[in-house]
Amino acid sequence: MTSRSNSSSGPVPDARVQFDAQVTFRNGGGLQVQGFRLDLDPAPGSTPGSTPDPGHQEVDEAALAARFVSELGLLMVDTVALDRVTVINEQHKGSGRGRRARGSAEGGVPTARRLVELSHRIHDGMVTYPGLPGPRLSDHLSREASHGHYAEGTEFQIGHISMVANTGTYLDTPFHRFEDGADLSGIGLERLADLDGVVVRVGRTGVDPADPARAIGPLVLAPYQVTGRAVLVHTGWDRHWGTEQYGSGHPYLTRAAAEWLVAQRPALVGIDSLNIDDTADGTRPAHTLLLEAGIPVVEHLRGLEQLPAEGFRFHAAPPRIAGLGTFPVRAFAVTDAASAPVPAPAPAPASEPEPGTDDVR
């Protein structure tokens, strides 16, 4: 925290904060600014239009850094170091927060539509998460056996599948983490379907478990308007799906990022990675904070490079099963047919074909 004493004796209706900042980006490069100014919101409990507290006007530097990133719309920010933070008596000048935020909603579903597949294909014996058994598919009633039940030339197959709920691309509800949380039958459709979506692109991350770039913090999220929306974090980690690499060194959200999201109240958060948490952290802060706030999580997404940053609707509804907190979903997006997909960061492994109308991998 940074504070300064206000020595002015006259009535000053507003206050602003002035600071220097040094920014580094996750994809390289940096930015330096000197003497940048932002309007300072009144302290809690103060009277609008009153003189700023002559004792101590405090500034939360972490919140200031996030606001700075948001105001300038800076993407893929890694760190922001602030210096010479000073509160000054000056009339507010307004801010960029009134402009259309990056990724904000505008209009409804386009009439010329494109359907985008965002789910992995489930098949017999596949591995989703290291240590969990793969699904087993078999016949409950084979086509041959069905001949004795129907007219000649008429046959059916009734399948049987045995699997853990955390298979393929799946949705976590609060019940996954909390015994008294909403399960698959209790979570509302307004959290699962026809959601206005925004893609947060963080660049290529992961592989090396010691790489700090695996950790996705709040500054990466700060430029985006996420309230009430499906926030899809595009890391490109799905390029490792079906390989041993997928299960080690994955990118994840930090506790601070989860706290920021909870404060912003998105409808849903998804990621194209092994886990939204660092699996070395047994407290699972992202799961804990998001699910406690009633925000469902979709893990193991794929193909987010096919989506524009905004202007699409997201769907990820599971079956309505009582007593389960997690289950596979057919996640997909509906977007403008003219929207251009982002080039994939790398070719996908050839271990598993992925059907879809827009399978640009």
Side-chain angles (χ1 to χ4, degrees), residues 225-306:
Q225 174 63 42
V226 303
T227 302
R229 310 180 76 197
V231 181
L232 309 182
V233 182
H234 178 205
T235 71
W237 193 250
D238 60 324
R239 67 189 183 274
H240 297 301
W241 177 263
T243 71
E244 290 186 7
Q245 181 65 72
Y246 188 77
S248 174
H250 69 285
Y252 60 90
L253 297 187
T254 65
R255 173 182 290 275
E259 290 172 342
W260 185 90
L261 285 166
V262 168
Q264 301 300 313
R265 305 183 310 281
L268 173 150
V269 178
I271 191 168
D272 59 352
S273 184
L274 175 78
N275 200 301
I276 201 167
D277 272 301
D278 180 3
T279 53
D281 185 348
T283 67
R284 297 294 197 272
H287 276 94
T288 298
L289 293 167
L290 293 171
L291 297 178
E292 185 177 39
I295 302 168
V297 173
V298 178
E299 293 173 312
H300 310 282
L301 286 165
R302 64 169 294 274
L304 295 180
E305 71 276 358
Q306 301 175 81

Side-chain angles (χ1 to χ4, degrees), residues 4-326:
R4 72 105 178 130
S5 296
N6 184 347
S7 58
S8 172
S9 58
V12 179
D14 294 323
R16 306 187 81 209
V17 59
Q18 177 176 292
F19 55 92
D20 299 343
Q22 182 165 322
V23 182
T24 62
F25 296 94
R26 297 174 67 89
N27 58 344
L31 172 71
Q32 290 184 332
V33 298
Q34 289 80 39
F36 196 89
R37 295 185 181 186
L38 286 173
D39 294 347
L40 187 63
D41 294 331
S46 63
T47 303
S50 64
T51 303
D53 185 353
H56 292 87
Q57 183 85 22
E58 295 188 344
V59 177
D60 182 335
E61 293 195 10
L64 177 60
R67 173 143 169 240
F68 169 70
V69 170
S70 177
E71 292 286 346
L72 294 188
L74 300 176
L75 299 181
M76 298 179 66
V77 171
D78 189 20
T79 63
V80 176
L82 302 180
D83 191 25
R84 299 198 300 174
V85 179
T86 307
V87 176
I88 60 176
N89 292 331
E90 185 176 76
Q91 189 172 11
H92 283 180
K93 301 296 190 291
S95 72
R97 285 182 288 180
R99 68 181 181 270
R100 180 170 169 265
R102 183 179 301 276
S104 61
E106 186 175 89
V109 177
T111 54
R113 300 183 304 168
R114 181 168 64 99
L115 299 176
V116 183
E117 178 66 78
L118 302 175
S119 296
H120 290 289
R121 184 172 64 96
I122 294 176
H123 60 85
D124 187 75
M126 65 178 283
V127 175
T128 298
Y129 195 97
L132 293 182
R136 294 301 175 190
L137 283 74
S138 60
D139 290 331
H140 173 74
L141 179 69
S142 69
R143 297 186 185 280
E144 182 178 4
S146 75
H147 294 166
H149 296 272
Y150 305 103
E152 184 177 354
T154 303
E155 65 180 27
F156 293 90
Q157 185 262 3
I158 299 177
H160 178 273
I161 185 169
S162 175
M163 68 177 188
V164 297
N166 297 53
T167 296
T169 302
Y170 54 78
L171 177 100
D172 291 338
T173 68
F175 185 74
H176 178 52
R177 173 67 177 82
F178 300 100
E179 186 177 4
D180 59 351
D183 62 11
L184 293 168
S185 69
I187 194 162
L189 284 173
E190 68 278 3
R191 291 279 189 179
L192 308 172
D194 197 26
L195 302 175
D196 182 40
V198 57
V199 176
V200 176
R201 305 199 195 279
V202 302
R204 183 172 295 209
T205 61
V207 178
D208 181 358
D211 184 359
R214 296 173 54 224
I216 301 165
L219 293 178
V220 176
L221 304 168
Y224 299 89
Q225 174 63 42
V226 303
T227 302
R229 310 180 76 197
V231 181
L232 309 182
V233 182
H234 178 205
T235 71
W237 193 250
D238 60 324
R239 67 189 183 274
H240 297 301
W241 177 263
T243 71
E244 290 186 7
Q245 181 65 72
Y246 188 77
S248 174
H250 69 285
Y252 60 90
L253 297 187
T254 65
R255 173 182 290 275
E259 290 172 342
W260 185 90
L261 285 166
V262 168
Q264 301 300 313
R265 305 183 310 281
L268 173 150
V269 178
I271 191 168
D272 59 352
S273 184
L274 175 78
N275 200 301
I276 201 167
D277 272 301
D278 180 3
T279 53
D281 185 348
T283 67
R284 297 294 197 272
H287 276 94
T288 298
L289 293 167
L290 293 171
L291 297 178
E292 185 177 39
I295 302 168
V297 173
V298 178
E299 293 173 312
H300 310 282
L301 286 165
R302 64 169 294 274
L304 295 180
E305 71 276 358
Q306 301 175 81
L307 296 177
E310 59 176 316
F312 64 90
R313 311 296 292 186
F314 180 73
H315 305 258
R320 195 179 184 188
I321 304 173
L324 281 184
T326 298

